């Protein structure tokens, strides 16, 4: 089996130079680096990562702790993390904390015991044990998707990477208001998560921008999962004056809401309009096609890796929070008509399909007639 010394002789460099190329511990001239890489390829040299970790105190591995890995959103984040880590020569160890604070701390400890160089974690609704452990052991970490504002029980600040939540949710509200809706329900996420509180804040901002009053009864937690969203949707439909439009705050809750609407015999968007936070692969295959906020899932995962590697390179730099923009995906579940070629347009407007109208006070000409309450509640 070829050794590092064999690679050095073939490339005409020192063993130290080969080490610098492999470990990226010191800049190497491009032509020298290429000569080393060519020698590695020609000889079929495979680095001994275990021996290298004993010398460098680095395993070139990253721990990833995210719940609901089966959720398409987190699956795409995982793909982004994996691709970015592999590009930089890092392997990935994955654990599912199940959104349980106690289990979360245990899986993070297990990852730490495997001597990962750093961690990427999507924290639970109560991350105090997690943050205390990471801080106590000085584990380089990036918080993913769900951010922590300020300090929690004096825990140190951590780097954070997430999507914008407030403004995109507000846009869904103003879009529906622009179609004439005055009672817009929100199936919110699990209480305690930053994504939940930020999307509720966006919902309120959207109502204020549209000049609509806030009715707290129109905000019901679906607990970020399908069954809870189904129950939340049933609660909203049972109000004395039910909503004429719904916003679901993640993709799993969209499925639960649709299931309940179908069970009640309600048609989307004829009986009730629907917009959702989180686009997903099959959203374009529903009938009607789902109007949604699309998060840059893979980019979030890749950015988390970049931020973590920057932390490993500069342990003392200030913590930062990176927010990535979302996209408004305009389809037909909101009640807008679809023209030939699959383009979607607001009724009564001449706006480009990529920039739907979102007036703060909808004009009378675009007001949407509210469905019969008897039909909506059957």
């Amino acid at each position: 089996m070829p050794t590092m010394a064999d690679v050095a002789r073939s490339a005409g460099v020192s063993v130290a130079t080969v080490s610098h190329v492999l470990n990226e511990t010191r800049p190497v001239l491009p032509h020298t680096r290429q000569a080393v890489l060519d020698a590695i390829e020609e000889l079929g040299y495979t680095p001994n990562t275990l021996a290298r970790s004993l010398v460098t105190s680095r395993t070139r591995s990253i721990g990833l702790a995210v719940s609901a890995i089966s959720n398409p959103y987190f699956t795409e984040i995982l793909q982004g993390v994996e691709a970015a880590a592999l590009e930089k020569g890092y392997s990935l160890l994955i654990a599912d904390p199940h959104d349980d604070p106690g289990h979360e701390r245990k899986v993070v400890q297990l990852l730490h015991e495997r001597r990962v160089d750093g961690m990427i974690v999507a924290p639970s609704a109560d991350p105090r044990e997690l943050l205390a452990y990471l801080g106590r052991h000085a584990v380089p970490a990036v918080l993913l998707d769900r951010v922590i504002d300020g300090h929690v029980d004096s825990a140190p600040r951590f780097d954070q990477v997430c999507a914008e939540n407030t403004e995109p949710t507000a846009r869904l509200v103003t879009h529906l208001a622009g179609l004439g809706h005055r009672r817009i329900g929100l199936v919110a996420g699990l209480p305690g998560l930053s994504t939940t509180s930020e999307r509720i804040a966006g919902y309120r901002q959207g109502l204020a921008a549209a000049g609509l009053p806030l009715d707290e009864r129109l905000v019901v937690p679906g607990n970020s999962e399908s069954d809870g969203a189904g129950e939340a949707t049933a609660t909203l439909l049972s109000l004395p004056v039910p909503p004429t439009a719904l916003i679901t705050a993640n993709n799993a809750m969209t499925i639960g809401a649709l299931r309940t609407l179908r069970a009640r015999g309600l048609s989307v968007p004829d009986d009730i309009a629907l917009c959702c936070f989180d686009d997903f692969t099959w959203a374009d295959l529903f009938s009607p096609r789902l109007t949604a906020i699309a998060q840059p899932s893979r980019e979030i995962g890749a950015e988390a890796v970049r931020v973590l590697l920057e932390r490993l390179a500069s342990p003392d730099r200030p913590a930062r929070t990176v927010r990535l923009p979302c996209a408004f995906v305009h389809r037909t579940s909101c009640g807008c008509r679809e023209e030939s070629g699959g383009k979607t347009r607001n009724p009564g407007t001449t706006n480009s399909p990529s920039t739907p109208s979102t007036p703060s006070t909808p004009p009378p000409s675009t007001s949407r007639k509210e469905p019969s309450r008897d039909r909506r509640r059957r």
Side-chain angles (χ1 to χ4, degrees), residues 65 95-98 102-112 119:
D96 188 340
H98 301 294
H103 189 63
E104 175 179 64
R105 202 272 304 158
K106 290 179 182 177
V107 300
V108 165
Q109 180 178 342
L110 287 174
L111 290 172
H112 184 220
M119 294 189 204

Side-chain angles (χ1 to χ4, degrees), residues 237 243-246 261 266-274 368 376:
L237 295 176
T244 62
L246 284 182
L261 294 175
L266 298 178
S267 173
V268 176
D270 295 334
D271 296 319
I272 187 166
L274 177 68
R368 182 177 182 275
R376 295 188 71 260

Side-chain angles (χ1 to χ4, degrees), residues 68-197:
I69 293 173
S70 60
N71 184 309
Y73 169 66
F74 280 115
T75 300
E76 291 189 2
I77 284 182
L78 169 59
Q79 291 170 347
V81 170
E82 184 178 39
L86 182 62
E87 181 183 356
K88 295 298 184 180
Y90 281 77
S91 59
L92 204 59
L93 278 68
I94 306 170
D96 188 340
H98 301 294
D99 271 331
D100 176 81
H103 189 63
E104 175 179 64
R105 202 272 304 158
K106 290 179 182 177
V107 300
V108 165
Q109 180 178 342
L110 287 174
L111 290 172
H112 184 220
E113 290 172 354
R114 266 68 178 172
R115 296 296 186 265
V116 295
D117 293 341
M119 294 189 204
I120 298 172
V121 185
S124 67
D126 183 4
R128 287 174 295 181
E129 288 189 48
L130 164 70
L131 298 180
Y133 183 90
L134 294 175
R136 184 166 60 251
H137 295 280
V139 179
V142 174
L143 304 184
L144 180 77
D145 183 58
R146 304 155 178 179
V147 301
I148 307 298
D149 293 326
H151 297 261
V152 178
D153 288 350
S154 300
R157 288 289 304 271
F158 291 92
D159 294 309
Q160 306 183 107
V161 177
C162 61
E164 293 284 356
N165 289 295
T166 304
E167 186 279 332
T169 308
R171 183 170 188 186
L172 292 180
V173 174
T174 55
H175 179 68
L176 290 168
L179 298 176
H181 294 280
R182 293 295 180 273
R183 288 185 64 75
I184 301 169
L186 174 66
V187 180
L190 183 68
L193 296 181
S194 65
T195 48
T196 298
S197 58

Side-chain angles (χ1 to χ4, degrees), residues 12-97:
V13 299
S14 67
V15 172
T17 298
V18 175
S19 176
H20 291 319
V21 171
L22 291 172
N23 298 312
E24 298 181 355
T25 49
R26 184 179 299 174
V28 176
L29 291 173
H31 69 275
T32 303
R33 174 182 174 82
Q34 191 58 52
V36 171
L37 294 177
D38 290 344
I40 289 172
E41 179 69 21
E42 181 182 348
L43 296 174
Y45 171 72
T46 301
N48 186 329
T49 55
L50 179 59
R52 186 167 62 186
S53 69
L54 293 174
V55 174
T56 64
S57 298
R58 293 284 182 90
T59 60
R60 296 193 72 81
S61 61
I62 294 172
L64 176 65
V66 294
S67 296
I69 293 173
S70 60
N71 184 309
Y73 169 66
F74 280 115
T75 300
E76 291 189 2
I77 284 182
L78 169 59
Q79 291 170 347
V81 170
E82 184 178 39
L86 182 62
E87 181 183 356
K88 295 298 184 180
Y90 281 77
S91 59
L92 204 59
L93 278 68
I94 306 170
D96 188 340

Side-chain angles (χ1 to χ4, degrees), residues 168 171-172 174-176 178-179 269 273-276 278-279 283-284 288-294 326-339 341-359:
R171 183 170 188 186
L172 292 180
T174 55
H175 179 68
L176 290 168
L179 298 176
L274 177 68
C275 291
C276 53
D278 274 345
D279 197 23
D284 196 38
R289 298 161 62 235
L290 297 177
T291 295
I293 294 296
C326 295
F328 179 93
V329 184
H330 191 194
R331 300 190 182 105
T332 57
S333 66
C334 54
C336 295
R337 66 174 179 265
E338 184 169 76
E339 300 177 344
K343 295 181 178 180
T344 308
R345 179 167 295 183
N346 290 356
T349 72
T350 57
N351 286 43
S352 163
S354 62
T355 54
S357 173
T358 55

Side-chain angles (χ1 to χ4, degrees), residues 249-318:
N250 79 1
N251 52 18
M253 292 191 292
T254 300
I255 302 302
L258 285 169
R259 186 179 293 120
T260 293
L261 294 175
R262 183 178 62 182
R264 296 290 183 98
L266 298 178
S267 173
V268 176
D270 295 334
D271 296 319
I272 187 166
L274 177 68
C275 291
C276 53
F277 203 108
D278 274 345
D279 197 23
F280 44 99
T281 304
W282 55 87
D284 196 38
L285 302 178
F286 280 87
S287 182
R289 298 161 62 235
L290 297 177
T291 295
I293 294 296
Q295 299 192 75
S297 310
R298 294 193 185 196
E299 290 84 353
I300 290 173
E303 183 66 20
V305 172
R306 284 192 287 270
V307 171
L308 178 60
L309 296 186
E310 289 174 5
R311 169 61 56 194
L312 292 175
S314 304
D316 297 327
R317 67 171 178 78

